[in-house]
Amino acid sequence: MKKGNNRGAALVSVVIAITFIGILATSMLYMAYMNYLTKAMRYQATDTFYTDEFALDDLGSSIRQVAASATTLAQAKSNISTSVGMTSLGGKTVYTPSDVNSLITVASNLASVSINCATEGYATGNPAYNTYVVSSNSITLRDLVITSTTDDGYTSTITTDMVITFPPVGDQNYS
């Protein structure tokens, strides 16, 4: 019987094993890197969302300060109307986004924050409905669109209504 020549079989087995391990390691590194990028993006998205939320709180605080400087309910409503740039547009009562945006002071230091209005026809001067609604005990800013953009280019948008309520008549303490 003749013995076979197997001198290269061990080397081929080692090369195949190293190649397989290299492919597995490369795959694991790629998945870890993609996971890192996803977590970084999620962090930035969450951060810009919270900046939007902070801007909304900042706006509410500024409007409450404007109302607090009044001595009567009528004066508080008038002060708020002036501060948000209440105007008539296309026969509808609306707020002016640039005036509302100027009320956001603290949050604008964290990111570029802007206010828009979501109602159709607003930009063309013919809004679909009133975006500034005054009732006996509240003022509503409808369809506020708050957008913040970080220096890295991450953007978040919140669309909401803001309702400012006043104490019932007889319970006011404006002094």
Side-chain angles (χ1 to χ4, degrees):
M1 263 199 204
K2 194 172 174 182
K3 208 174 187 185
N5 186 358
N6 289 332
R7 284 189 273 170
L11 181 62
V12 170
S13 297
V14 169
V15 168
I16 289 173
I18 289 175
T19 303
F20 181 70
I21 291 171
I23 290 171
L24 282 176
T26 303
S27 297
M28 295 296 275
L29 285 174
Y30 177 75
M31 288 188 317
Y33 177 69
M34 293 309 290
N35 187 34
Y36 169 76
L37 290 179
T38 302
K39 285 186 179 189
M41 187 173 20
R42 185 176 296 138
Y43 171 78
Q44 288 294 335
T46 302
D47 192 44
T48 55
F49 171 78
Y50 285 128
T51 300
D52 276 349
E53 189 176 52
F54 180 53
L56 187 62
D57 291 342
D58 192 10
L59 175 61
S61 176
S62 294
I63 289 175
R64 284 189 293 279
Q65 286 176 347
V66 167
S69 66
T71 56
T72 66
L73 178 60
Q75 186 181 13
K77 288 180 180 182
S78 175
N79 289 355
I80 292 171
S81 296
T82 301
S83 68
V84 299
M86 189 232 14
T87 188
S88 180
L89 185 64
K92 307 289 191 246
T93 305
V94 298
Y95 58 86
T96 306
S98 60
D99 289 353
V100 174
N101 197 54
S102 68
L103 294 172
I104 299 173
T105 54
V106 180
S108 59
N109 295 333
L110 301 174
S112 172
V113 178
S114 65
I115 299 284
N116 289 309
C117 185
T119 182
E120 291 179 25
Y122 190 92
T124 62
N126 191 19
Y129 47 84
N130 295 329
T131 61
Y132 185 80
V133 180
V134 180
S135 70
S136 61
N137 68 338
S138 69
I139 293 176
T140 304
L141 302 175
R142 293 179 64 193
D143 287 341
L144 280 171
V145 180
I146 301 174
T147 303
S148 66
T149 305
T150 64
D151 294 337
D152 297 332
Y154 290 94
T155 300
S156 178
T157 301
I158 295 177
T159 302
T160 188
D161 294 347
M162 177 177 280
V163 180
I164 300 101
T165 56
F166 300 98
V169 176
D171 292 344
Q172 295 133 344
N173 184 9
Y174 288 97
S175 55

